[in-house]
Amino acid sequence: MLKQLYIKNFTLIEELDIAFQPGFSVITGETGAGKSIILGALGLLLGNRADVRQLRAGADRCVVEAHFDLKHYDFKPFFIEHDLDYDESDCIVRREITASGKSRAFINDSPVTLTQMRELGDRLIDIHSQHQNLLLRKEDFQLSVVDIIAGNDDQRKAYGDAFKAYIQARQQLEQLRQSLQESRDNEDFLRFQQKELSEARLTAGEQEELEQQSELMSHAEEIKSSLYEADCLLTAENTGIVQQLRTFSSQMRSLERIFPAMGELAERADSAFIELKDISEEIADKLEQTDFDPRQLEEVNSRLDLIYTLQQKFHVSSIDELLQQLDNINHQLSQIDNSDEELRQQEARVEELRQKCEQLAKKLTTTREKAAKKIEQEMHTRLVPLGIPNVRFEVSLGTKPLSADGIDTVAFLFSANKSTALMPVSEVASGGEIARVMLSLKAMISGAVKLPTIVFDEIDTGVSGRVAEQMAEIMREMGAADRQVISITHLPQIAALGTTHYRVSKEESPSGTISHMQQLDDNERVREIAQMLSGSNITEAAIDNAKELLKVK
């Protein structure tokens, strides 16, 4: 729950550092004193959008920081998931805005995203302002209330997982149908392409080999002429290099007896002779094998033309890609040939998942039906003491097609009189009645959800007297059991029942209007409630009335 709130340079607040207590606290003050500013500051900690206009005039930075006690709540998994330091007795949430418009968020001094701050904030504080009464118009809010009271998290998760799988299977079925239809529309062309590629009998590496053959045969005469000249240079009688090298080696051998150093040269010449003789024999073989065959060259070039034409048609640059194209075409044609069976299988899967969703949705409906009865009973019990003795409150469940939240529609029906027909609560309830309905719903929800802090902003609109006192009793009840309830109120009956009382005030200073907030002691509290009763002119009767409300002497 909220332990401490520090605000600096936020709109009319120059600097505020105030402690909050467990239980039921009230905040009072004149209209325009700055109570809404406190809510705006808390809203920043809930991840609300920051606006540079929220900075106090002349300030270069605004800071809002809150300390929370998390000992009685299961928040540790959140901190582990987001790799944040965890201190259950002091969780620090901070938001900073600079004059340049930059906004930064921190949890326990670690920078976080607004999404992370919002996720934590939603679990730390619930701020109920008057605009939240409009939620009664929204079916998803009413359904969420039923689900909270039903405590059906496991059933909703099981249904949600099944529904997601069902939607994915339906999308896959539709994609399959579209793909098969496109393939069928294109079947003749696909079969023509398959025939063309299959009849080409392409093989991997064929193109490179053919291109090499074409290059050799196109230059056959030039190659043969060069090989002939090389052969002559090496093997011509008397003048050939091989014969002359042999003669040279013999001369070196003849000198070896009288000039031993020539022996080494003779051995080297012999090695060169052997190598050159091998080269000459290989050239002779190449010369014999090299022949120009115009018909063979034509066949090679014709094959290459076919390959190049196919590559151009299919917009590829290699035989491997052409073979891949053939595989793709074969796969598409196989799909067409087996389309009926594939469609039947996918349709059967969709139907199977649909039936599973319906079964799980019915289980979800059962939990909601039980919760609806519980809500009706509890709302009647809560609303009668709040000045609606003839109240009728009904949770009407209807059906709808399978959707992300099940097959149930929900409508909260309300009547304040026995003779008035039940109608949607947002259409027939007055402002004061809606405030009491929302307070009763919040009280009921708070019993099912462990929310540390709940803030009510003028939920007492449209009520007074005994009804206001009953509303305060409900909020005080909610403030028990490790929960903190803070009510911003204009009614002395509500303010008197708070266990802690804060006053927001404003003053004019040389730098402009400044808002203050302070915790009141017993005497200050008597005067504040007396002023709420009688206005700025506090009378003795108002003092006595305030003491009576506060049950002090």
Side-chain angles (χ1 to χ4, degrees), residues 18 150 158 177 211 275 394:
I18 193 159
R177 283 173 174 160
E211 287 173 342
E275 182 66 21
E394 181 179 308

Side-chain angles (χ1 to χ4, degrees), residues 270-283:
D270 286 343
S271 296
F273 169 75
I274 293 169
E275 182 66 21
L276 279 175
K277 192 169 186 308
D278 285 344
I279 290 173
S280 68
E281 290 173 353
E282 192 166 338
I283 287 176

Side-chain angles (χ1 to χ4, degrees), residues 394-405:
E394 181 179 308
V395 180
S396 175
L397 291 178
T399 59
K400 63 182 178 183
L402 287 171
S403 61
D405 53 18

Side-chain angles (χ1 to χ4, degrees), residues 269-306:
D270 286 343
S271 296
F273 169 75
I274 293 169
E275 182 66 21
L276 279 175
K277 192 169 186 308
D278 285 344
I279 290 173
S280 68
E281 290 173 353
E282 192 166 338
I283 287 176
D285 289 341
K286 298 288 186 187
L287 182 59
E288 185 177 346
Q289 293 168 7
T290 303
D291 195 12
F292 176 67
D293 184 347
R295 188 171 10 179
Q296 186 180 1
L297 177 60
E298 184 180 350
E299 290 175 357
V300 169
N301 286 337
S302 176
R303 180 68 175 168
L304 284 172
D305 286 344
L306 172 63

Side-chain angles (χ1 to χ4, degrees), residues 11-158:
T11 64
L12 298 181
I13 296 177
E14 186 173 46
E15 188 169 29
L16 172 68
D17 190 1
I18 193 159
F20 284 87
Q21 306 302 323
F24 177 40
S25 300
V26 294
I27 299 175
T28 60
E30 295 179 4
T31 301
K35 299 186 293 297
S36 61
I37 297 173
I38 305 296
L39 291 181
L42 286 173
L44 286 180
L45 299 180
L46 299 182
N48 291 350
R49 181 178 176 273
D51 190 329
V52 70
R53 290 174 296 183
Q54 294 171 316
L55 264 73
R56 180 171 169 76
D60 59 359
R61 189 176 70 137
C62 158
V63 177
V64 179
E65 180 178 286
H67 294 246
F68 293 90
D69 183 349
L70 308 180
K71 284 196 292 289
H72 301 289
Y73 308 93
D74 185 23
F75 279 86
K76 191 171 184 179
F78 171 87
F79 289 83
I80 294 173
E81 178 184 352
H82 296 286
D83 194 25
L84 296 169
D85 292 337
Y86 178 63
D87 182 348
E88 66 175 14
S89 61
D90 190 24
C91 170
I92 306 171
V93 182
R94 185 170 78 255
R95 186 85 178 271
E96 298 178 0
I97 309 170
T98 65
S100 63
K102 291 184 178 178
S103 168
R104 297 194 299 168
F106 302 86
I107 296 175
N108 289 337
D109 292 325
S110 295
V112 295
T113 65
L114 279 187
T115 300
Q116 291 171 315
M117 174 170 271
R118 197 173 294 120
E119 183 181 345
L120 179 62
D122 285 345
R123 295 176 58 188
L124 286 172
I125 302 177
D126 174 38
I127 297 179
H128 179 93
S129 57
Q130 289 187 49
H131 80 272
Q132 265 204 341
N133 291 338
L134 297 175
L135 289 174
L136 282 174
R137 298 179 182 271
K138 298 181 179 293
E139 184 181 328
D140 57 350
F141 168 74
Q142 298 179 31
L143 182 60
S144 69
V145 171
V146 173
D147 283 336
I148 288 170
I149 301 305
N152 55 14
D153 290 351
D154 292 342
Q155 289 90 340
R156 282 191 297 122
K157 183 180 185 309

Side-chain angles (χ1 to χ4, degrees), residues 1-2 20-25 479-480 482-485 499-500 502:
M1 60 185 65
L2 180 63
F20 284 87
Q21 306 302 323
F24 177 40
S25 300
D482 300 321
R483 190 177 296 109
Q484 181 183 51
V485 174
T499 53
T500 310
Y502 301 89

